[in-house]
Amino acid sequence: MIVESYEDVIILSGALRQNHWETIHTAVSLTLDRYPTGVIIDCSGLTECTLQGAETFRSAHEFIQDHDSRVIVAAIPKHVMDVLKEVSEVRSQLSIACSVEEARASLNVLQEHVDIEEMENVKVKKDRSVAPGGTIAVVLTMTSVDDYLVDYTANLCDTLDAGIRLIAPIIVPRELPMQSPLPEEERMAGEAVMRAYQRVKEKQFVVSKDLARGRDMGSAIEDSLEGESVLQVILGLSCSGDDVDANCKLVKAVLGKVSVPVSFVRGR
């Protein structure tokens, strides 16, 4: 088997008949140093894969878990996927994308917005620690409620002289690995974060952004807040009478996971 590296992609080609993780591991580690957002393993050139060769992916998964790194396996040929299906614990734990392009979009969904921001030369402070009043996290809903929610939080932050943390949650189905690419959900989350950012940027708030992955809303928020000093969380609720039960379930799920104060704000 041949292992090549190009930018953020590790390219595998040839026959995978034994565990080649040690060789791939070196390439992955070096690439992660240059591209900390994540690495793509392109399997489109694999001509053969045996059960012993499939152990490569088991070792890859163990590395990802141990180092909390984002590594996406992409473009797996059907004959290789058929072998992986025989090793169910490997197949179910891998973050898999249909193509390198899909994998890169998943890795860079938030970074693309950061690059746009820099190109526009928007003078917004990035260091959250400089906000005298602390930080308030606003959890976006990816619905029309967000505009009202962001305005509400901005007014509150003005009063408290606080910064804003924009969180767009991505809920990952339990049957998928946590880092699996979810193109539509990631697109919506990235666009929601950018819309919210554009709405508050003129006020010169100390602002940060995060796409938070979790099995449910509470877990996603909890993960985003880990290691952060946040005064409170603002979360929007639907104003529709048809959504009362859903709102109650959301409140229960969030309060069961999030330890900082939470304010629920109903949309107009």
Side-chain angles (χ1 to χ4, degrees), residues 74-212:
I76 300 178
K78 183 180 181 302
H79 59 272
V80 176
M81 186 66 77
D82 289 342
V83 176
L84 294 183
K85 288 178 180 177
E86 297 183 39
V87 191
S88 57
E89 63 273 23
V90 173
R91 171 63 183 89
S92 62
Q93 293 170 349
L94 282 175
S95 297
I96 296 176
C98 294
S99 65
V100 170
E101 291 74 19
E102 180 182 284
R104 183 173 287 114
S106 180
L107 292 176
N108 297 337
V109 61
L110 188 56
Q111 186 62 39
E112 288 175 2
H113 296 309
V114 174
D115 292 341
I116 291 171
E117 170 190 318
E118 291 174 349
M119 286 189 294
E120 292 176 348
N121 197 28
V122 178
K123 296 180 180 178
V124 178
K125 300 173 185 177
K126 294 298 193 326
D127 184 359
R128 294 188 292 278
S129 65
V130 302
T135 300
I136 294 177
V138 53
V139 182
L140 304 174
T141 66
M142 277 72 83
T143 69
S144 58
V145 173
D146 284 349
D147 287 348
Y148 175 70
L149 194 63
V150 169
D151 290 344
Y152 175 90
T153 306
N155 290 333
L156 182 61
C157 288
D158 251 344
T159 302
L160 299 176
D161 200 13
I164 294 179
R165 181 171 178 79
L166 299 169
I167 301 175
I170 298 174
I171 308 305
V172 183
R174 295 190 181 277
E175 65 271 16
L176 294 178
M178 185 60 71
Q179 297 300 331
S180 294
L182 299 169
E184 183 61 19
E185 291 83 352
E186 290 165 350
R187 180 191 62 78
M188 291 176 61
E191 290 177 355
V193 164
M194 197 57 186
R195 280 196 304 270
Y197 177 80
Q198 294 291 343
R199 200 169 181 87
V200 300
K201 72 176 183 179
E202 298 299 334
K203 298 181 181 293
Q204 295 291 293
F205 285 110
V206 178
V207 60
S208 64
K209 321 180 193 73
D210 187 30
L211 303 188

